[in-house]
Structure formats: C-alpha cells, structure tokens
Amino acid sequence: MKQGSWLPILILGVLLSFIILIFCVIHNIALGYALALCWVIFMAIGKREYGLKTLLRFSWEGAKTSFGVLKTLILIGAVIGIWMASGTIATIVYDAFRITNPQTFILIAFVVCAGVSFIIGTSFGTISIVGLPLMLIAKSGDINLNIVAGAIMAGVYFGDRCSPLSSSASLVATITATRLFRNIRNMFASSWLALLLTLAGYWGLSLLNPLNHINTSFMTQLKHNFTINWLMLIPVIIVLVLSVLRQPISRSIPLSILAAAILGVTEQHQQISTLLATLVVGYHPATAHALVQGGGVVSMISPLTVVPISCAIAGILNHLASFTNLQQSLANRQTKLPFGMTVLISFITSAIGCNQSIAIIMTNTLMRPAYGKHNGQLAVDLENSSILTAPLIPWNIAAFVPTAVIGASFVGYIPFALYLYLVPLVYGLQQLIFKKGVNYH
C-alpha cells in the first residue's frame, strides 16, 4: 500500500483515539487505560510501515524522554507529603486565610499563581507552592471549585509563557533562533489586552462567586494540629530562591525536603520514621475530614503511568511517514495570517503528543516555512498557541499533572481558565484586524 493511502487509516486512528480519550474523561475512567489502548491503535497502524521490534524501539525511545518528567513528579509528590507533615502547607493556608478577601478570592488566586509562576518559571512548582494551598482554602470556603481551579491553572501557566526562567520560553527561543528577553518583551506587547480582560473576568467571577464563609473552625484546627510560624515557610523559600538562581527543582526540592524534615522534627515533634513515610504514602492525620492531607509519591501514580505511555505514543508518531504527510497537508494550507493554522496544529500536536514540549517542537517544525525569515513572529505565535493550548487538553501532561496535584476535575476547570484561551483569541482577532498581522522581530 502506498504511503498516501495510509493517511485515511491514520486519520481514523487519530479520531478513534480522541473518542476513547474523551469517553474516559467524561466517565472518569483512568487515562492510563485509555492511553494504553491508544498506544495499541498506533502500534497497529505503524505495523504497515515497520516491524514490531522497530515499533517497540520507537516506543521505548519516546518513553525514555519522559524520565526527566517522572523524576520531577516523584519529587513533587514527595515534597508535598513532607510539607504537609512539617506544617509548611498549614502555615501557607493559615496566613492566606487571614488576608483573604472573600469577595476577590478568585481574582487573588489567579494573580498569586501568575506572580509566583513568573518568579520561578515553572507551572509544576507553582501548583505545589501556592496552587494546592489556594485549593484547600476553596474547599473549606464552599465555593465553585471548577472556577477556582480554572483561575489557578491560568495563573500557573502565565509564567510558562513569559518568565525568563521558564523552560518552555527558553525552548521556543532556542528552536526559533530568537533572543529570550526580546521574546518576553513581545509576549507582554501581544497579550496586555488579554491579560486585562482576564483580570476583569476573574474580578467579575469573584463578585458572583465569593467564598461563602471563612471557616474559622478550620483555622482553629490548623493552630491546634500544627505549630504555625514563619519558620515553616523556609522549605518554600528555598525552592523560590533557588529557582530565581536558575537551579533546577531536582536540586531545590531535595534541599526543601531536608529543611522540612528538620522542621517536622524540631517544630512539629514528628517522628523521623513518620516523616520518611510521608514522602511515599503522604500525610494522613488521625483527624477526621482533615483538609491538610495527602501528597506523597503514591499521589502521583496516575500521572506516573500516563506520562511514559503518552511519550511512547509520540515516539511512534514521530517516525510514521503517514503522520508526517498528515502534518504537512495541514501546514500547506497557508494564508497570509498563519496564526490560525498554528493554533490548529498546536491543538492537534498537544492532543496527540500529550506533552507541551512535543507540541512546541512539532508545531515549530510544521509552521516554520510559513513564516519565512520572520523568526520573531514565529516565536510569538508559538508562545501564544502551543504553550497555552496544551493545558486545555485534559489528557495532556500540562493539564493532567496540575489538576491531579490540586485534586480538581480534569475538565471542569477548562471554561474558567480564561487566560489560556483569551490570549490566542484576542491575539488572533488582532491579526485579523491588522490584516497583515503585527510584526515582531
């Protein structure tokens, strides 16, 4: 069979995979099962081009690219568990409770997450440091959790797009051969209106959906179960400072864990064996219905299964000639305003590749001919599409991991993640209004 005739089969496989994934999301079925079935589908399609051993090698090569992410997930699960046991999470929640204005909580959630993500440049780190405590406050305050989760998700990816410390922003600068800080300047220039609309949207949602009450009994419970003082913030400060110093979280989190363990022993009077156990199984106090509980490596089991399978699928797709033909046929539908096609392809690569970095690289490869020598414009368009569309795909790592950390619905947050779709929407309208686009160099 000729390569061109394989294209309908690949498209059918892609559509079938989408149906399976969407079905599992709607019915709350573990995505690991869905992705495993999708892997089988693409293995079957790949058999038309390669032998079984070769496809398994492609899968393994793809899965190996996930090892860095897996290490990060293990560290995040471990640090959340010990932060809970050491009183770090309790202190953040308690202090946030005291300064929280119920009428502006949703807006504050976005602003705080956006600020921290810009400072440290990592969505996964931000979701652990402030996203989880904010969600705990929301759960105790009887508020629409999907709206809060949407504000948190939008905020944690603000820095992914425009922080000098963001690995995603650095990746875009590298593959487009552009200067990082010039890109950052262009990021703000191309999104200030969308940001203002986002702030206005969350302000309105805050007024319509305030925290119904500040749970004083929860604050009393925190004071009773934990020693609350500024020392408990040292583990978080370590991560923040080292992130600003461009140290990877693979270095900062172990130091934070050590600091939290010391505080757990000296301030919370925990047993060392208990603290070690929280790294694996999380913190589970005897107090019934305690909000401050969970974490540990076991809390990351679902993401730990999803990530390597999704990368294995990407490993197969990267070698399929029929998939390359599909990508090229999409990319060849060029106009004078290529941003719309860039957004479409970024959605497809985010959904199929299940990984933000894969989406960025694939979209860049496909759309580069459409931009010619306008690398700066390409960089802006990638930042305004691939980086922000990945967190809107429930089975993408960029969405699946943060929602798992804060215990949010995999799909419920999407309508309320305003910044994630207002940026490409407003920017796209701007391109249409100017007809020839707004040039960034």
Side-chain angles (χ1 to χ4, degrees), residues 31-50:
L31 285 176
Y33 297 124
L35 285 170
L37 185 55
C38 293
W39 176 78
V40 172
I41 291 172
F42 288 113
M43 283 286 288
I45 294 173
K47 279 285 290 177
R48 295 176 175 273
E49 298 181 34
Y50 301 100

Side-chain angles (χ1 to χ4, degrees), residues 83 88-89 92 129 232-241 256:
W83 277 2
T88 296
I89 295 291
I92 295 173
I129 293 172
M232 303 303 106
L233 299 177
I234 290 177
V236 173
I237 294 172
I238 289 174
V239 175
L240 287 172
V241 171
S256 180

Side-chain angles (χ1 to χ4, degrees), residues 388-438:
L388 299 179
T389 55
L392 294 173
I393 307 296
W395 54 85
N396 192 290
I397 295 168
F400 190 77
V401 172
T403 52
V405 169
I406 62 177
S409 165
F410 294 138
V411 295
Y413 74 92
I414 293 176
F416 306 105
L418 303 184
Y419 184 76
L420 298 184
Y421 54 82
L422 279 178
V423 169
L425 178 61
V426 173
Y427 177 72
L429 290 174
Q430 179 189 36
Q431 296 283 295
L432 288 175
I433 292 171
F434 282 91
K435 301 301 181 183
K436 293 182 179 180
V438 180

Side-chain angles (χ1 to χ4, degrees), residues 272-287:
I272 294 178
S273 58
T274 301
L275 293 171
L276 291 175
T278 64
L279 295 174
V280 180
V281 300
Y283 178 64
H284 300 282
T287 306

Side-chain angles (χ1 to χ4, degrees), residues 259-334:
I262 293 172
L263 291 170
V265 172
T266 59
E267 298 294 324
Q268 308 299 341
H269 309 294
Q270 299 272 14
Q271 297 293 322
I272 294 178
S273 58
T274 301
L275 293 171
L276 291 175
T278 64
L279 295 174
V280 180
V281 300
Y283 178 64
H284 300 282
T287 306
H289 308 297
L291 280 174
V292 181
Q293 63 175 317
V297 175
V298 296
S299 69
M300 293 286 109
I301 287 179
S302 187
L304 286 171
T305 57
V306 166
V307 171
I309 298 175
S310 65
C311 289
I313 292 173
I316 295 174
L317 290 174
N318 284 336
H319 291 86
L320 293 183
S322 50
F323 183 63
T324 301
N325 292 338
L326 173 61
Q327 292 175 318
Q328 293 297 340
S329 66
L330 288 172
N332 287 337
R333 299 179 182 273
Q334 304 299 344

